[in-house]
Amino acid sequence: MSMTKLKRDPEIHFDTIIIGSGIAGLNFALNAAKQGRVLIITKKKSIESSTNRAQGGIAAVLNKADRFEKHVQDTMEAGSFHNKRNAVEFMVKNSPEAICRLIELGVPFATNVQGKLLLTREGGHSERRIAFVGDYTGAAIEKTLLKKVAQNPKITLWEHTFAIDLLTIKKICYGVQIVRKKNVQNIFGNRIVLATGGLGQIFYYTTNPSISTGDGIAMAMRADLKCRDLEFLQFHPTALKIGGRTKFLLSEALRGEGAILLDRKGQRFMKKYNPKMDLAPRDIVARCVYQEDLNGGAFLDIRHKPSHEIELRFPSIYQRLLRYKLNLTKNLIPIAPAAHYSCGGVMTNLHGETKIKYLYAFGEVAWTGVHGANRLASNSLLEALVFSNQILRSPAREKMDQIPHFVKPALQPNSPKLVKKLKSIKYRIRKIMWEKVGVIRTTKGLKEAKQKLDILEAKLPHFPGLNILLKETENMLLTAKAVTQAALKRKKSLGGHYLLSPEKTKKTLKH
Ligand code: FAD
Ligand code: SIN
C-alpha cells in the first residue's frame, strides 16, 4: 500500500463526510458543524428521502399519563422482545429532548389553542404519544433541517452525487469514492457517516422512494462490516391499492384516529386475528391485510368520522386520493401491504460507531437493536434523531497527514442497451423478493429466491470501469441476497419474518 502525504485540499478534505440527506444525515450535520467543516452528499435532490415521505409522526413520551417504561414496553412488545433493551431505554429516555430540539429548530408540530402539543396514536402504542404535523410530518422535518443546513456556513451539500464505496483499509475508513458531475472522485474525512436510509426498493411493492436501494448496506458489506437482523423487513398494512398495484401510504394515524379495516363483505376482520384489532402491531396487521386481500379485498373505512375533521387532519392523503377519484370521507379505500422499513442494518453501538474506525452509521441503515423483530410505529424518526444527536461522543480522527492511495476507475457512460438490461434485472429482483421473501415466507420459496438471485447475478454485465446504474443494481442484488440469506437462517417465525410451515395452509394464519 503506498501512502500519500496529504495537502489539505478543501475540495476533497472535510472534517465530517455524511452520505445521505434524510433526518439522520441532516441532523448529524448540524451537530457536527459545531466541530468543523461538514460535507453532505446525496444521490438525487436533497429532499428525496424516506424522511420526506413520513406521514404519521414521531413518538415520544410527552403526555403526563405516559411513562418511559410504557414506551419501552410497547417497543419491546412490537419487536417480539428481540430488541436490545438498553438501546430502547436510551432512545425512549432521550425522546422528549429530541422533540424539543425539533421544535427549537422550527418544526411546526400541531398544537391546541393553548399551544400544547397534540398527540396521536398508532398501532402497538398504549398511549397517545405521537407528535405530528398534519399528515406530512416528515416533509415538515426535512424542510426545516434543510433550511438550517443551507444557513450554516460550515456545511456544504452536494446533490446528484453518488457514493460508490467506502475507502477503507484494514478496518480504518479514510473517505468515500463518489461520482459527481460525471467524474469519479476520492474524498477524505476525519469522520465518515453512513446515513443512506433503507432498502424498500428491492421489493416490487414499497412505500419507499426511488433512492432506497440498500446502497449503505451494500457499501458496508463490501467493506466487510456485519449487518444484523436483515430478515426483519417491516411491511406496512395500508398502502392504497389501485389496479392491482400499491400507490402510496395511508398513514396508520388514520386508524389511530378511528379508521377501521374491513374485508370484502364489510366485516371487521381484525376481530378474528388479534384482541388489539386494527391497532395491533404492524407485522400482525400487515399479514392479516395480506390474507384478506388474497381472499378478495381489504379496505380502510373512516366514513363514520366528521368529514371536516378528516379533511383538516389528513389534508395530503385526502387530496392525493381525490386524484384516484376516491373521497376519504365517503368511500371505502382499497388497501394492500407494501415493504416499508428495514429493522436490520449495519451493526452500531449506542454512539453510532461501527466496527470500522472513523465510520459511523445513523438512521434506517443502522442496526442499533432498538426495533427488534418489528419496529413500533413512529419510532424510526425518533431513533434517527436520538442516535445522530450524539456527536460529542463519537471521536473523529485528529490528524490525517497521510492517506493511502486509492485507485479511481474510469466512468463508463450509459448505453440504451445497458439501461434496458439493468432495468430488467432490477424489475426481476423486486418481483422475486416480493413473491418469495415477502409478507409470508416459506423455506422452499426462500431457497428458490436465493437460486433466482444467483442466476441474476451471473447475468450482470462486466466491463472495465464504473457505471452508476450498474453499481445501484449490484447494490440491490447484494442487499436482496443478504435479506434472503438472513431469512433462510431464521428457522422460526418472529416479528416481521413470518415463515409458513408446509403443513399450514393460507387459511391458518395464527398470531
Ligand atoms: P432517508 O430519509 O431515506 O435518507 C437517505 C438519504 O441517503 C437520501 O438523501 C438518499 O439520497 C441518500 N443516499 C442513499 N444512497 C446513497 C448513495 N449511494 N449516495 C449518496 N446518497 C445516497 N417513520 C416514523 O418514525 N414515522 C412516520 O410517520 C413514518 N412514516 C413513513 C412513511 C413513509 C412513506 C416511509 C417510506 C417511511 C416512513 N417512516 C416513518 C420511516 C422513516 O421515514 C425512515 O425510517 C427515516 O426517514 C429514515 O431516515 P434516514 O435519514 O435514515 O434515511
Ligand atoms: C404511518 O404514518 O403509518 C407510518 C408510520 C411509521 O412508519 O412509523
Side-chain angles (χ1 to χ4, degrees), residues 167-175 355-358 397 406:
L167 299 174
T168 60
I169 288 182
K170 292 192 183 154
K171 297 276 177 205
I172 297 177
C173 188
Y174 293 89
K355 294 275 183 208
I356 291 187
K357 214 168 171 192
Y358 310 124
R397 186 181 1 245
F406 293 94

Side-chain angles (χ1 to χ4, degrees), residues 244-498:
R245 299 194 62 160
T246 57
K247 298 291 176 187
F248 65 87
L249 182 74
L250 301 165
S251 176
E252 199 157 303
L254 282 158
R255 277 175 282 138
E257 299 301 340
I260 53 174
L261 299 172
L262 301 178
D263 65 15
R264 71 189 159 95
K265 294 183 184 152
Q267 300 299 313
R268 292 190 70 176
F269 59 81
M270 281 308 297
K271 272 188 199 159
K272 287 188 285 191
Y273 296 113
N274 192 280
K276 289 187 181 164
M277 308 259 294
D278 308 295
L279 285 174
R282 197 174 278 177
D283 56 331
I284 297 173
V285 184
R287 285 192 290 275
C288 300
V289 170
Y290 183 78
Q291 184 66 38
E292 294 304 328
D293 186 38
L294 285 179
N295 292 348
F299 301 87
L300 186 106
D301 183 10
I302 199 163
R303 294 170 302 172
H304 49 284
K305 299 291 277 190
S307 53
H308 62 281
E309 273 178 26
I310 297 305
E311 279 180 50
L312 207 65
R313 175 65 182 80
F314 298 102
S316 63
I317 294 175
Y318 181 83
Q319 286 301 329
R320 289 180 80 180
L321 282 171
L322 287 181
R323 288 183 221 154
Y324 293 94
K325 301 200 172 16
L326 286 167
N327 185 324
L328 184 59
T329 64
K330 293 195 175 76
N331 301 122
L332 286 179
I333 311 297
I335 52 167
H340 185 61
Y341 183 83
S342 168
C343 300
V346 180
M347 256 183 86
T348 60
N349 63 16
L350 285 186
H351 315 308
E353 293 162 344
T354 67
K355 294 275 183 208
I356 291 187
K357 214 168 171 192
Y358 310 124
L359 177 70
Y360 303 84
F362 295 108
E364 191 167 336
V365 70
W367 175 94
T368 61
V370 157
H371 306 302
N374 167 54
R375 172 179 65 98
L376 182 67
S378 287
N379 262 355
S380 47
L381 293 174
L382 177 65
E383 181 205 35
L385 201 59
V386 166
F387 283 82
S388 65
N389 264 342
Q390 335 171 57
I391 181 72
L392 298 173
R393 305 195 64 163
S394 58
R397 186 181 1 245
E398 280 174 5
K399 272 204 284 182
M400 194 166 188
D401 47 6
Q402 289 214 315
I403 49 166
H405 176 71
F406 293 94
V407 176
K408 276 192 282 178
L411 193 65
Q412 295 297 337
N414 286 330
S415 66
K417 198 171 150 209
L418 180 70
V419 172
K420 193 169 167 216
K421 176 153 192 162
L422 294 177
K423 259 191 175 170
S424 143
I425 294 180
K426 280 187 177 187
Y427 171 84
R428 284 155 76 186
I429 295 171
R430 301 175 71 211
K431 283 293 250 192
I432 295 167
M433 292 303 285
W434 181 257
E435 283 162 13
K436 312 269 179 209
V437 198
V439 182
I440 295 178
R441 301 165 177 173
T442 62
T443 305
K444 183 170 169 269
L446 291 173
K447 284 182 181 160
E448 281 168 12
K450 186 181 172 315
Q451 257 178 8
K452 286 175 186 261
L453 292 170
D454 284 342
I455 294 171
L456 276 187
E457 191 173 27
K459 291 193 172 154
L460 278 176
H462 291 281
F463 46 78
L466 188 68
N467 175 278
I468 297 182
L469 195 56
L470 175 58
K471 184 55 81 176
E472 196 176 71
T473 312
E474 284 170 356
N475 289 345
M476 286 174 68
L477 195 54
L478 188 57
T479 308
K481 286 180 73 171
V483 171
T484 308
Q485 196 62 44
L488 266 168
K489 272 199 189 143
R490 190 163 292 282
K491 303 289 181 207
K492 287 196 178 146
S493 294
L494 191 70
H497 171 68
Y498 189 84

Side-chain angles (χ1 to χ4, degrees), residues 188-236:
F188 302 98
N190 294 339
R191 189 194 271 125
I192 290 88
V193 180
L194 275 176
T196 46
L199 50 80
Q201 283 294 330
I202 66 171
F203 290 87
Y204 191 64
Y205 295 120
T206 182
T207 62
N208 289 193
S210 63
I211 54 99
S212 307
T213 46
D215 297 0
I217 299 284
M219 279 188 262
M221 286 193 297
R222 283 193 294 268
D224 213 12
L225 268 182
K226 216 173 144 191
C227 293
R228 265 190 81 160
D229 288 349
L230 289 178
E231 66 274 33
F232 300 120
L233 207 287
Q234 180 171 83
F235 297 88
H236 198 294

Side-chain angles (χ1 to χ4, degrees), residues 70-110:
K70 282 191 184 175
H71 190 177
V72 169
Q73 184 63 17
D74 291 346
T75 302
M76 302 282 298
E77 259 177 42
S80 299
F81 296 91
H82 185 68
N83 326 53
K84 208 168 126 195
R85 182 175 271 277
N86 70 332
V88 178
E89 285 172 352
F90 174 76
M91 177 184 76
V92 167
K93 283 187 182 146
N94 283 291
S95 64
E97 193 193 309
I99 302 292
C100 289
R101 173 176 162 79
L102 286 182
I103 293 171
E104 275 166 26
L105 289 171
V107 176
F109 284 111

